[in-house]
Amino acid sequence: MPGAGAAGARAAGAGAPGERAPGARGAAPKQDRSRATRQRLLASAVTCLAELGWTGSTVTVVAEHAGVSRGAAQHHFPTREDLFTAAVEYVAEERSRALRELPTPASPHAAVETLVALYTGPLFRAALHLWVAASNEPQLGPRVTALEARIGRETHRMAVELLGVDERRPGVRETVQGLLDMARGLGLANLLTDDSPRRARVVTQWASLVEAGLGD
């Protein structure tokens, strides 16, 4: 009879009212695994950027680092640009989270140390490589520029809170920005060699300047 095959298929797939469709029970765990795979790929993209730079961070390399197949990586991110555009967002969110979780410093010296540490870790290294890549990749440029502007505003606001200063006072905003510029420079110097001994001396001196210049 015409349509009998379709009717039979519908009958075979139908269940009692309220019955869970076949395979639905495994849908949530499958989605969880998919999200976990995506997160691993993004975290690996950041690590590879920090360790290998833009040129060395291919989709294949990132997939191997994440422990997934290239096919699985391309399922989530069909192109390299897709992967690293998402990584830009991921790095920005992780840096924002790091800012929100900063401990309350016990002294100006601790505050300066905390701020400098933001620019010497793997997230900042990854961000630097993204900056370099964005200068040559049109798809990344606008996104990186916008997110860095946001992170810059958040970092400045957090620095003001950590230092416990009032930006309404003349010169305070410029002093805080100078501190952040100095911290960024220390982060750049740390890319090539372990700059921690010199950095410790600079932090101590800057803490004294900040305390003298921003204190009541």
Side-chain angles (χ1 to χ4, degrees):
M1 293 174 54
R10 285 195 297 271
E19 182 177 318
R20 185 186 296 269
R25 180 171 299 184
K30 184 176 180 179
Q31 290 175 353
D32 290 342
R33 289 196 298 273
S34 179
R35 282 193 292 268
T37 297
R38 188 178 192 279
Q39 196 75 0
R40 285 206 308 276
L41 284 165
L42 290 174
S44 290
V46 172
T47 300
C48 290
L49 273 174
E51 295 179 355
L52 305 174
W54 174 255
T55 303
S57 300
T58 64
V59 173
T60 299
V61 168
V62 172
E64 289 177 355
H65 186 278
V68 304
S69 68
R70 180 182 172 86
Q74 289 183 312
H75 170 74
H76 289 277
F77 306 104
T79 68
R80 188 180 189 222
E81 287 71 24
D82 291 330
L83 172 60
F84 285 101
T85 296
V88 171
E89 296 272 5
Y90 179 81
V91 169
E93 289 305 316
E94 288 296 293
R95 290 173 72 193
S96 291
R97 183 179 61 80
L99 284 172
R100 292 192 297 269
E101 294 178 355
L102 287 176
T104 301
S107 66
H109 186 278
V112 174
E113 278 187 324
T114 298
L115 292 168
V116 168
L118 290 173
Y119 294 94
T120 53
L123 282 174
F124 180 68
R125 291 177 69 93
L128 282 177
H129 287 296
L130 284 172
W131 295 353
V132 174
S135 67
N136 297 309
E137 296 290 330
Q139 294 188 31
L140 292 179
R143 183 71 60 87
V144 171
T145 299
L147 289 173
E148 281 302 319
R150 192 195 82 193
I151 293 296
R153 290 191 296 270
E154 291 180 3
T155 304
H156 188 99
R157 183 171 63 250
M158 183 58 66
V160 169
E161 292 181 12
L162 290 175
L163 293 167
V165 295
D166 184 355
E167 274 199 304
R168 292 172 297 183
R169 292 172 51 197
V172 169
R173 180 175 180 80
E174 291 75 16
T175 301
V176 171
Q177 192 57 55
L179 169 61
L180 294 177
D181 290 342
M182 178 276 298
R184 188 180 297 109
L186 290 176
L188 288 169
N190 200 55
L191 283 176
L192 297 176
T193 60
D194 179 8
D195 199 46
S196 52
R198 185 177 73 92
R199 188 166 66 246
R201 295 192 298 272
V202 172
V203 165
T204 297
Q205 181 62 24
W206 260 91
S208 299
L209 294 173
V210 167
E211 190 167 16
L214 301 181
D216 294 330

